[in-house]
Amino acid sequence: MNRLTPPLKGAAAVFISALALAGCGSGVLKNEAPGPAAQATGLNPQQARITDESILSDRRTLEAVQLRLRRLNEAGIPQNSYPLAKAQCWLDTAKSQYHENDRTGYIEESMTEAVKIVQALEADKSATAGFDTPLVARSSMLRNDLWAELSAYKNQPATLACNARTVACGEVRLVRAGHANEQTGWRQATPHVQMVEDALRQAKTEADSCLQTAQLAPRAGQAGVATVAAASAGQVISRQTYVVLTDTLFKFDKSGSEDMIPGGLQRLADVAQRLKAYPSIQTLTVLGYTDRLGTDDYNDKLSQARAKTVQTYLESLGVRSASVAAQGKGKRDPVSKDCSTSASREQQIVCLQPDRRVTIEVTGVAR
């Protein structure tokens, strides 16, 4: 009996294995239970994942962890933080395998890794968590050379400030490759290996850019002199991104400073406090985004106005940068998933919430 044996009914049908749909994966899939440490995830037992109710319950459990990650980001932990990125990638791979109806324990054990990191960050936002990468669900150890390259980047703080997310997700992807190899053979592992190879090329580009930024002399201004002095003193150029949901930042359909919500103002104040701790900031870019509802022109103007309001507010709090920009991206680059266009408008508004956001991207000298 393989992991696809239980019949799928109703909404559960969307979780049919992608391998079966693709007609690949001729090997016999191993059906093994999760280890004891991974059984307390809140997910339904594997044998119960055949009804709409159990699958919807599991979706809520997975999304609850996603919400905790979002709140950590909103509390000031940047997306390019290695621990936050590692937790997100563990959660992403758990979700992906849930959609493939994996019954090997991979889902539970990956989710456990994500939750461990989340708990550590919730206790201490500066916690060093997730730097170990276990081979969950008895995955194979593939490509020692790729593991060594990822480890080398992970142990270089000067460049990890720029490629942390790429490195963290590369490690999780390599575990996923080992899982595919163990379950269905090398041929099914190769796409994941290819993604890790691509990630390492990206990590090198990001690392090289990080080092070049630290070495480049700014073109003009006293702020440039301060940056060169800081870099020569061994300080690290850091790239960080902060995300604030506009639903918690502005009143509905508004964009002015008088329309900002107290909770959102506090989040921006927290971000400003972190930014003012930089000895110098080279670039500060504020990007506004909307969801897909409404016309392109309307969304472009609304997102631009919100980005400009946030930029001005950060400046009023004392945030200074050699280069500042505010840009409206409208409905471009959505991050929400599985939001049906056939759902009611109210349901779509709720589902599309992650798309309505303002990101604050900063490059500067970290302490």
Side-chain angles (χ1 to χ4, degrees), residues 30-49:
K30 302 177 183 178
N31 186 5
E32 301 179 20
Q39 293 177 357
T41 58
L43 296 172
N44 285 289
Q46 294 174 352
Q47 64 272 21
R49 297 174 195 164

Side-chain angles (χ1 to χ4, degrees), residues 242 267-278 314 317 319:
Y242 302 88
R267 287 186 177 86
L268 290 181
D270 292 341
V271 172
Q273 192 65 31
R274 294 173 68 90
L275 296 182
K276 287 191 291 185
Y278 278 60
L314 290 174
L317 296 177
V319 177

Side-chain angles (χ1 to χ4, degrees), residues 13-328:
V14 300
F15 292 98
I16 295 174
S17 170
L19 289 175
L21 289 173
C24 59
S26 57
V28 176
L29 301 177
K30 302 177 183 178
N31 186 5
E32 301 179 20
Q39 293 177 357
T41 58
L43 296 172
N44 285 289
Q46 294 174 352
Q47 64 272 21
R49 297 174 195 164
I50 57 174
T51 67
D52 293 350
E53 291 78 13
S54 64
I55 289 174
L56 290 174
S57 172
D58 285 346
R59 277 184 170 178
R60 287 192 290 268
T61 299
L62 290 163
E63 287 308 312
V65 180
Q66 185 65 75
L67 178 60
R68 293 167 73 181
L69 283 166
R70 189 188 85 185
R71 287 174 175 166
L72 287 168
N73 179 233
E74 292 176 346
I77 301 179
Q79 289 290 322
N80 200 43
S81 155
Y82 178 93
L84 190 73
K86 193 68 166 288
Q88 182 65 68
C89 293
W90 276 124
L91 180 61
D92 287 345
T93 196
K95 287 181 177 180
S96 174
Q97 287 310 100
Y98 194 102
H99 280 267
E100 291 196 10
N101 199 29
D102 192 306
R103 301 299 179 96
T104 67
Y106 183 94
I107 299 165
E108 293 86 351
E109 293 183 34
S110 296
M111 186 175 173
T112 296
E113 294 304 313
V115 171
K116 285 195 303 186
I117 299 171
V118 167
Q119 290 173 336
L121 294 175
E122 286 172 340
D124 178 4
K125 290 197 288 292
S126 63
T128 301
F131 277 73
D132 59 320
T133 311
L135 298 173
V136 299
R138 299 156 296 281
S139 299
S140 302
M141 181 74 166
L142 295 181
R143 293 293 302 270
N144 288 336
D145 58 322
L146 300 183
W147 280 110
E149 289 184 61
L150 289 166
S151 179
Y153 281 123
K154 184 166 64 176
N155 292 308
Q156 293 178 12
T159 56
L160 193 64
C162 296
N163 63 11
R165 184 174 180 81
T166 303
V167 172
C169 291
E171 291 175 312
V172 174
R173 179 62 65 178
L174 199 48
V175 174
R176 177 67 184 89
H179 181 63
N181 181 67
E182 183 66 20
Q183 294 301 310
T184 53
W186 168 251
R187 179 65 188 89
Q188 281 65 51
T190 54
H192 302 287
V193 173
Q194 178 66 60
M195 282 186 269
V196 178
E197 293 173 343
D198 292 343
L200 278 166
R201 283 190 285 273
Q202 181 179 341
K204 183 180 187 306
T205 299
E206 292 167 340
D208 291 344
S209 176
C210 205
L211 294 173
Q212 289 169 7
T213 303
Q215 295 166 0
L216 284 176
R219 299 182 182 276
Q222 186 60 37
V225 176
T227 301
V228 173
S232 64
Q235 292 178 307
V236 177
I237 296 295
S238 173
R239 294 181 180 177
Q240 295 187 334
T241 301
Y242 302 88
V243 180
V244 183
L245 296 181
T246 55
D247 289 9
T248 64
L249 188 55
F250 292 96
K251 296 177 183 177
F252 180 73
D253 208 29
K254 301 294 183 181
S255 60
S257 58
E258 69 280 4
D259 303 311
M260 300 178 79
I261 299 170
L265 293 174
Q266 182 57 53
R267 287 186 177 86
L268 290 181
D270 292 341
V271 172
Q273 192 65 31
R274 294 173 68 90
L275 296 182
K276 287 191 291 185
Y278 278 60
S280 66
I281 297 176
Q282 291 179 309
T283 64
L284 178 69
T285 304
V286 182
L287 301 174
Y289 297 87
T290 67
D291 60 30
R292 69 190 180 208
L293 304 175
T295 66
D296 291 348
D297 183 62
Y298 177 83
N299 284 317
D300 286 347
K301 290 178 179 177
L302 178 62
S303 61
Q304 174 66 41
R306 286 177 165 176
K308 185 62 178 178
T309 296
V310 170
Q311 176 209 321
T312 302
Y313 187 70
L314 290 174
E315 290 177 346
S316 75
L317 296 177
V319 177
R320 299 288 182 266
S321 173
S323 174
V324 182
Q327 181 180 356

